[in-house]
Amino acid sequence: MVELTAAAVFGVYAIASALVLQLVNTEVRTPYMDEQFHIRQAQWYCMGAFNKWDPKLTTPPGLYIVSLVVRTMGACTLDRLRAVNCVLGCILFWTVYALIRQNTRPFRAAIKALTLCMLPTSFFFAHVYYTDIASLLCVLLAQLLSVHKRHVWAGVVGGAGVWMRQTNVVWVALVGGAAVERWMRENGVVSGGLLQSVGQLVQWMKSPRRWREAVWVAVPYAFVVMAFGVFVRVNGGIVLGDKSNHQAGVHVPQMFYFYAFTAAMAAPTVLAEAQRYTHAVTSRQVTCFEMANYALETVYANLYLYLTYRPVLSTAVGLALTLVMAVGVNRFTVEHPFLLGDNRHYTFYIWKNLFRSCWWARYLYIPGYVSCMLGVHAALWRAPALWHIMWLVCTAAVLVPSPLLELRYFTVPFFLARLHMPTSLPRLSIELAMYTVVNAVTIYVFLYHPFVWSSEPNQLQRFMW
């Protein structure tokens, strides 16, 4: 019965995905945008030309290696290569389902898996030949294997994920850190909240003999991270190919954009959990200290409490956060040449119309950033404290060095965060409806509203994420 429930929901996703793939292949008969580089490289691999490399590509060849399976069916055509991501999207559904199913009823787990897989910045790329779906799948599959204590295989899959996209090495570190944190809790090394756990951890570290098992848990993940360090040293940097347009920097507002994206995409859950978090304290169900020590235990969630429960302090905290974010916006906003140099991406119009309308426009959104940040962390208040901190650090490590604003870069940290938020069918239904509408509109525009550049009159351009 369990499998039938999940299979029925999966059938909905599979049919929708297959229909979208068919429409894309019918309307977009030539490789579009970055597909031209990925398709060409994959076809070289299919012909056995493994020594050829397109200098425009910046990511490793993991997807092209996986796509070699297409060669068993004949030529590596555009349609077949796109179908690879469609199949990976179906595998992604079951991976997400398995992660959720551990502590959630079957139907609810299936609906949450469907909702996550319909996330617009993920679903779209399951029907074009980009690396996003393969990258996300490897991270979540490594997480699933890690939860089931298959740490060696989790390291292997995590390593494969790095071959899809270099930044996945950060998520491998997070999966490894979470594995060690789970081992510590299961073995009584740490218990309770962050404040208590820190003291227990200090005591544990005084006895090196007890480290061994925890170290063995971490070894597969550490090996991947160290191997990647060797690659960076030999390669002279993280990026392959076109290094000139992909220089790392310090782009602090990326975190603000991410919080806004996450709060918007998980709005029903974020709003409800933020309200529940506040109510838990204001109704005296738990004390502030208990909430700080046993629940979210990050300063951000406690600030959310203050903003709603202590009016005087809320003003000071709000002003302080606003000031810090204003400095971040003023000193560390990066406007990558690609952002305003390509009007085929929605971020072009977001930036042009919302951030560039006048010099002070970008500062107007700071109060919204503050609210989104506090709301997202409040929605994660039930997540393990150490995991929460590691997730925050890893998200910043991935996003802040990236100079280019692309919403699809937020997909992996969003998935990881949303998996740790509560599951409620009414809220999931609203999120799923939101995603369905956004997907329907964006895919329709992509397929049926192309336009032409005067510089390339014979080439159709299309809007995409």
Side-chain angles (χ1 to χ4, degrees), residues 221-244:
Y221 312 100
F223 178 81
V224 175
V225 174
M226 289 187 293
F228 183 76
V230 173
F231 158 77
V232 172
R233 182 66 181 271
V234 172
N235 186 57
I238 293 176
V239 177
L240 291 170
D242 186 13
K243 294 184 174 67
S244 61

Side-chain angles (χ1 to χ4, degrees), residues 29-257:
R29 297 302 307 159
T30 57
Y32 184 66
M33 206 176 290
D34 287 358
E35 272 193 323
Q36 60 182 309
F37 309 119
H38 294 303
I39 293 291
R40 181 164 58 232
Q41 187 66 49
Q43 290 175 338
W44 284 344
Y45 271 44
C46 285
M47 293 186 292
F50 298 107
N51 61 332
K52 298 183 70 173
W53 184 259
D54 192 322
K56 289 292 184 181
L57 292 171
T58 59
T59 51
L63 179 60
Y64 320 130
I65 295 173
V66 170
S67 300
L68 288 175
V69 68
V70 175
R71 190 167 60 176
T72 62
M73 298 180 288
C76 294
T77 62
L78 174 62
D79 293 6
R80 288 173 178 169
L81 289 173
R82 283 175 175 165
V84 170
N85 272 342
C86 186
V87 172
L88 293 179
C90 292
I91 299 173
L92 177 66
F93 174 93
W94 288 109
T95 302
V96 175
Y97 173 79
L99 282 167
I100 301 167
R101 180 66 185 90
Q102 300 169 87
N103 51 16
T104 307
R105 292 179 178 179
F107 181 70
R108 186 173 297 184
I111 293 297
K112 188 171 183 178
L114 174 63
T115 302
L116 278 171
C117 289
M118 291 293 287
L119 179 73
T121 54
S122 172
F123 185 72
F124 178 87
F125 290 99
H127 308 99
V128 291
Y129 195 67
Y130 276 60
T131 61
D132 297 70
I133 294 298
S135 171
L136 174 62
L137 175 60
C138 285
V139 172
L140 296 183
L141 189 54
Q143 172 70 15
L144 178 62
L145 290 166
S146 179
V147 168
H148 288 284
K149 300 181 181 179
R150 302 290 190 266
H151 299 298
V152 173
W153 281 109
V156 170
V157 173
V162 177
W163 273 67
M164 303 297 175
R165 183 170 289 172
Q166 297 93 316
T167 52
N168 280 347
V169 70
V170 177
W171 304 121
V172 172
L174 175 61
V175 172
V180 173
E181 190 265 350
R182 278 193 304 276
W183 178 90
M184 288 181 174
R185 289 191 178 278
E186 291 169 359
N187 288 272
V189 176
V190 295
S191 60
L194 179 62
L195 303 179
Q196 184 178 351
S197 297
V198 169
Q200 295 170 334
L201 191 59
V202 170
Q203 291 298 319
W204 176 72
M205 292 180 67
K206 292 179 180 179
S207 178
R209 291 182 180 179
R210 301 179 62 192
W211 297 3
R212 293 178 183 176
E213 191 171 346
V215 169
W216 279 114
V217 170
V219 163
Y221 312 100
F223 178 81
V224 175
V225 174
M226 289 187 293
F228 183 76
V230 173
F231 158 77
V232 172
R233 182 66 181 271
V234 172
N235 186 57
I238 293 176
V239 177
L240 291 170
D242 186 13
K243 294 184 174 67
S244 61
N245 289 312
H246 296 82
Q247 296 291 328
V250 181
H251 193 183
V252 175
Q254 284 274 41
M255 289 298 291
F256 310 157
Y257 311 146

